[in-house]
């Protein structure tokens, strides 16, 4: 079982709709959870982090965390073509010494 | 801009050679992590340095080694390069502690290494 799992996609969403990205993790003691966006040929860019169960909203982005289910998600409202990118879920391990990434979900927003 | 810089931007080496990649952390950040990202994959954790000491390592062989300097800049060294080492190498810095930390990390632009 991979430590952090994501559906590789591609996920195609019409412009203006809600894009929903999901991630599961195996280390029940994980403490911190991050979403990064990566455009082709660029390095990952942090867009959200969440530490506590529940929802955290920042503009058009909402991160959701359910530690009991070991599940974290990212919702993007009013999707724009500029949101087309690969979204990486990352988890800080219980040892706190490393952050593990999933393989990413490729999101495509169609006009 | 994250304030994390890496050099060089691109590098071409041949199999068996050695390479050194460099990273300058964001001001105030004392922790640096290195990642290898193959095409179409997520970043794979290589190792992490906190205050000049390695304090975490991923599943990479010993020919991957590193250093962190007193100014918190860092190097990644790879010996005996193999074709599969071709990848984007990313460093990320944060202000951390030796224990639990909720601090976030920020990536540099990466070094694209091609091994022929």
């Amino acid at each position: 079982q991979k430590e952090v799992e994501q559906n590789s996609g591609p996920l195609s969403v019409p412009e203006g709709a809600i894009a929903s990205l999901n991630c599961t993790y195996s280390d029940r003691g994980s403490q911190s959870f991050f979403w990064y966006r990566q455009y082709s040929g660029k390095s990952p860019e942090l867009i959200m982090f969440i530490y506590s169960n529940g929802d955290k909203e920042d503009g058009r982005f909402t991160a959701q965390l359910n530690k009991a289910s070991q599940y974290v998600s990212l919702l993007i409202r009013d999707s724009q073509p500029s949101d087309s990118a690969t979204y990486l879920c990352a988890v800080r391990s219980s040892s706190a010494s490393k952050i593990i990434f999933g393989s990413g979900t490729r999101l495509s927003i169609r006009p | 801009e994250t304030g994390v810089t890496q050099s060089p931007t691109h590098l071409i080496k041949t199999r068996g050679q050695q390479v050194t990649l460099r990273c300058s952390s964001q001001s105030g950040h004392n922790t640096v992590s290195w990642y290898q990202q193959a095409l179409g994959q997520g970043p794979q954790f290589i190792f992490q340095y906190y205050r000049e000491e390695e304090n975490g390592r991923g599943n990479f062989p010993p020919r991957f080694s590193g250093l962190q300097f007193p100014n918190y800049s860092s190097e990644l060294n790879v010996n005996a390069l193999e074709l599969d080492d071709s990848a984007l190498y990313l460093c990320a810095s944060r202000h951390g502690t030796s224990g639990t930390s909720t601090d976030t990390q920020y990536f540099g632009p990466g070094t694209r290494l091609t091994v022929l």
Side-chain angles (χ1 to χ4, degrees):
Chain A
Q1 182 188 9
K2 288 185 179 178
E3 293 178 87
V4 180
E5 294 210 52
Q6 296 181 254
N7 188 320
S8 62
L11 175 65
S12 181
V13 172
E15 185 175 355
I18 296 175
S20 177
L21 304 162
N22 305 314
C23 172
T24 59
Y25 59 95
S26 60
D27 182 356
R28 187 168 288 278
S30 297
Q31 304 162 3
S32 311
F33 307 86
F34 308 88
W35 283 99
Y36 285 81
R37 177 175 61 199
Q38 187 173 27
Y39 292 114
S40 181
K42 301 293 186 182
S43 64
E45 170 193 10
L46 179 69
I47 53 174
M48 289 285 290
F49 57 89
I50 185 167
Y51 306 134
S52 305
N53 275 329
D55 295 0
K56 178 182 179 182
E57 187 175 316
D58 184 0
R60 296 187 295 114
F61 299 97
T62 299
Q64 299 174 317
L65 175 62
N66 184 326
K67 289 187 177 180
S69 300
Q70 295 175 239
Y71 175 92
V72 58
S73 65
L74 179 70
L75 301 178
I76 307 175
R77 289 181 299 281
D78 188 24
S79 296
Q80 303 296 310
S82 60
D83 295 327
S84 296
T86 295
Y87 288 80
L88 298 163
C89 172
V91 176
R92 185 184 307 285
S93 69
S94 55
S95 69
S97 65
K98 59 184 180 180
I99 295 177
I100 304 300
F101 283 78
S103 58
T105 298
R106 193 153 50 94
L107 174 65
S108 175
I109 307 300
R110 58 181 190 270
Chain B
E1 294 294 326
T2 63
V4 182
T5 60
Q6 292 186 245
S7 62
T9 305
H10 296 89
L11 200 53
I12 299 175
K13 291 285 190 178
T14 56
R15 194 168 50 181
Q17 285 188 310
Q18 178 266 342
V19 68
T20 297
L21 309 181
R22 294 178 173 83
C23 173
S24 179
S25 301
Q26 186 176 102
S27 177
H29 286 186
N30 58 11
T31 302
V32 65
S33 300
W34 284 91
Y35 292 84
Q36 179 195 67
Q37 187 175 26
L39 204 59
Q41 301 295 316
Q44 298 295 309
F45 177 77
I46 302 175
F47 45 59
Q48 176 175 284
Y49 279 81
Y50 167 70
R51 291 186 174 180
E52 303 177 57
E53 297 281 336
E54 183 182 300
N55 75 338
R57 189 175 182 95
N59 189 26
F60 279 80
R63 59 189 185 84
F64 286 79
S65 63
L67 281 173
Q68 187 182 31
F69 301 99
N71 66 354
Y72 302 133
S73 64
S74 175
E75 286 182 355
L76 165 65
N77 299 291
V78 187
N79 294 322
L81 284 167
E82 300 177 0
L83 297 180
D84 285 348
D85 295 333
S86 294
L88 179 67
Y89 287 84
L90 297 160
C91 79
S93 75
R94 64 184 176 94
H95 182 73
T97 66
S98 58
T100 301
S101 173
T102 57
D103 297 309
T104 54
Q105 66 180 11
Y106 299 90
F107 282 91
T111 294
R112 173 75 61 187
L113 173 65
T114 301
V115 182
L116 302 176

